[in-house]
Amino acid sequence: MTAARSMTLALSLSTLAGCATELPAAGVARGEVLYQNCSQCHGDDGYGSTLVHAPAIAGLPKWYLEAQLTNFQIGWRGAHADDVEGLKMRPMSRTIKSAADVMVVSEYVAGMPAKKSESTLHGDVAKGQAAYAVCSACHGVDGKGNEAMKAPPLTQAQDWYIVKQLGKFKGGVRGYEPKNAAAATMKDISGGIADEAAMRDLAAYIQTLPL
Amino acid sequence: MIEAFILQASSYASQIDALIWMIIVITGVWFFAAEGVFFWLIWRFRARPGGAPARYVDDPEEHALKYKWIEIPHRLILVCDVALIIGAITVWSDIKLSMPATDETVRITAQQWAWTFQHVGPDGQMDTEDDIVSIDEMHIQVGKAYKYELMAKDVLHSFSVPVFRLKQDAIPGRVITGWFKPTLVGEFDVQCAEICGIGHGIMPARLYVETPEAHAAWLASPTHYLAYQF
Ligand SMILES: [Cu+2]
């Protein structure tokens, strides 16, 4: 490093030191501070935002949150040229700087109470219920997910988010990485859903399932 | 001197640096001259016991002074201005107005908050089956002249490659073309240089300028996104 460069570095470091905030060492308090990077889109309560297409994440299980944050970080999710929303989430996941902090923030989000969201797409519940039979093998009859299958709960999800994700799986925009076995499985399943109308029906039925 | 802070990695980087130096020297000389005169005058005409207060009088001696202190520097500055304008226009026309013959095209799409690079595949043609699309990483070969097509999907962004001395705004609805020719092998930073939302500050990309062999190897087994390292 030349003298000029080390001088620039020293200058910028001393500026940074001036504005560093205190980050609690661990636990919920640390999770709360880390979550400040997320609330802009996912909301203070974790219910998401229709405006920026951010899903409700409050109350999702810790194992799923950790997996998704890691997937975003390493490019297994949200690194596809056509994934408009995923490409927004990808840099955000990288604001969490260590595997330990991924766990801390996941624990915090998992501890937030989940909420049912309002219906926006008004699909056909009866048709959705029939089609959901396939899904129940992994996501459960009650839609509460199954850790052993790595399938997340769906009951808290907004209907537009479910439809969008099913479309992404079907189009190979999510689950494109063969090494990401869980998502690749879901991608294969999504191939069996006929069209967007069928996705809306599924979402309508999933919305009727209690938390 | 500038390259001690940041490498010159494109064919036109030295031209930009020369222009910046020209501006620094010309404006620097005048800055110190003007400040020097200013402080000298403050000192020279400071309040002293028994000193006579200054008055503005319209006489021939005053006119001669005005000529010496204002008109002469003014004309000299105009000459410097012309020199700067000639320098700037020459560099601008070489880099931005002219489009030299290029060897390859790369398509660059900016969006909130990622860069997508579409590289021609081994066949050298854009928009064919073997094109390689990658997120946040651009792979090019040293010594080749590239034409770029720059687009934005949502809002304004700006494609900034400091080592190339290249900065070009991306505007939704427009395809902006330009060129660069990398001259140094290495890994360099790309950054967004136009405020584009909450993720603007974390919208970097990585530029890989490769030897022909390394580039051929990448074409044969491309990466599509950067693995993240804590
Ligand atoms: Cu940007």
Side-chain angles (χ1 to χ4, degrees):
Chain A
M1 196 160 25
T2 64
R5 265 192 250 174
S6 42
M7 200 179 73
T8 327
L9 187 69
L11 269 178
S12 37
L13 283 181
S14 54
T15 322
L16 274 180
C19 53
T21 49
E22 203 65 48
L23 191 59
V28 180
R30 188 179 176 86
E32 193 174 353
V33 176
L34 291 173
Y35 188 75
Q36 286 170 3
N37 281 336
C38 324
S39 50
Q40 178 87 15
C41 299
H42 292 285
D44 289 334
D45 43 19
Y47 298 152
S49 156
T50 313
L51 197 65
V52 295
H53 303 291
I57 54 175
L60 280 172
K62 184 166 172 269
W63 60 265
Y64 177 71
L65 291 164
E66 270 173 37
Q68 297 308 307
L69 284 172
T70 311
N71 289 348
F72 277 117
Q73 287 178 334
I74 62 176
W76 283 9
R77 181 177 172 187
H80 188 288
D82 297 324
D83 192 352
V84 174
E85 297 81 14
L87 286 170
K88 288 186 182 154
M89 180 53 212
R90 171 180 147 90
M92 300 306 155
S93 70
R94 293 176 169 196
T95 64
I96 307 292
K97 289 292 177 202
S98 70
D101 274 348
V102 166
M103 284 163 72
V104 170
V105 78
S106 298
E107 180 137 26
Y108 179 77
V109 175
M112 298 165 107
K115 186 185 89 165
K116 292 295 302 177
S117 62
E118 259 139 53
S119 168
T120 62
L121 300 173
H122 314 293
D124 185 326
V125 174
K127 279 193 195 157
Q129 179 165 20
Y132 187 79
V134 188
C135 323
S136 56
C138 299
H139 293 282
V141 181
D142 53 6
K144 293 211 167 82
N146 179 341
E147 181 174 357
M149 310 292 293
K150 295 200 167 70
L154 302 172
T155 52
Q156 84 301 328
Q158 300 101 324
D159 52 3
W160 52 262
Y161 176 73
I162 295 175
V163 170
K164 208 160 216 157
Q165 295 308 307
L166 292 175
K168 285 184 190 186
F169 280 120
K170 198 172 155 93
V173 173
R174 182 174 170 187
Y176 50 80
E177 171 59 60
K179 278 180 269 175
N180 184 1
T185 319
M186 182 56 218
K187 175 173 170 274
D188 292 343
I189 301 288
S190 66
I193 309 175
D195 52 17
E196 208 187 302
M199 294 174 188
R200 275 201 294 267
D201 297 343
L202 276 163
Y205 173 68
I206 291 168
Q207 275 207 318
T208 64
L209 300 172
L211 282 175
Chain B
M1 176 55 181
I2 297 176
E3 62 273 22
F5 287 93
I6 183 149
L7 293 168
Q8 294 174 333
S10 77
S11 57
Y12 49 63
S14 58
Q15 258 178 296
I16 299 265
D17 285 359
L19 183 62
I20 289 176
W21 264 118
M22 183 176 169
I23 296 171
I24 291 174
V25 169
I26 291 181
T27 56
V29 164
W30 283 106
F31 175 77
F32 285 108
E35 294 300 298
V37 169
F38 179 66
F39 283 107
W40 176 72
L41 288 175
I42 290 178
W43 171 252
R44 170 78 182 70
F45 296 104
R46 67 192 183 281
R48 268 177 296 194
R55 283 209 180 81
Y56 185 82
V57 281
D58 191 25
D59 65 14
E61 197 198 340
E62 194 75 14
H63 283 287
L65 275 178
K66 242 202 293 191
Y67 187 77
K68 183 172 154 199
W69 289 101
I70 297 176
E71 289 297 323
I72 294 178
H74 180 202
R75 283 170 202 183
L76 288 175
I77 285 177
L78 281 182
V79 172
C80 293
D81 269 352
V82 171
L84 280 182
I85 290 170
I86 292 174
I89 290 183
T90 314
V91 172
W92 180 261
S93 97
D94 280 0
I95 298 175
K96 293 276 186 172
L97 295 183
S98 60
M99 185 78 201
T102 49
D103 305 310
E104 219 171 282
T105 302
V106 58
R107 191 172 289 160
I108 306 170
T109 308
Q111 71 193 86
Q112 287 174 326
W113 293 284
W115 297 98
T116 304
F117 300 97
Q118 187 174 347
H119 309 80
V120 301
D123 69 354
Q125 298 295 314
M126 186 57 91
D127 288 324
T128 50
E129 275 289 297
D130 70 350
D131 284 1
I132 299 163
V133 176
S134 55
I135 305 289
D136 292 346
E137 54 175 312
M138 175 158 91
H139 292 258
I140 54 182
Q141 186 179 318
V142 68
K144 263 195 185 179
Y146 285 83
K147 173 185 168 196
Y148 63 80
E149 299 175 356
L150 179 62
M151 285 165 272
K153 274 194 191 167
D154 34 38
V155 298
L156 291 178
H157 299 271
S158 183
F159 182 66
S160 167
V161 188
V163 289
F164 282 3
R165 309 294 190 272
L166 167 65
K167 189 180 281 174
Q168 174 61 57
D169 279 10
I171 302 167
R174 279 178 60 181
V175 179
I176 293 170
T177 53
W179 67 281
F180 52 76
K181 185 173 175 184
T183 54
L184 278 187
V185 172
E187 249 189 83
F188 306 108
D189 286 336
V190 174
Q191 57 207 29
C192 183
E194 179 68 60
I195 297 280
C196 59
I198 184 181
H200 166 67
I202 42 176
M203 188 178 161
R206 204 81 177 129
L207 168 63
Y208 296 85
V209 181
E210 297 157 336
T211 59
E213 301 75 51
H215 192 61
W218 181 77
L219 285 177
S221 62
T223 47
H224 296 277
Y225 44 80
L226 289 169
Y228 182 70
Q229 259 132 41
F230 285 121

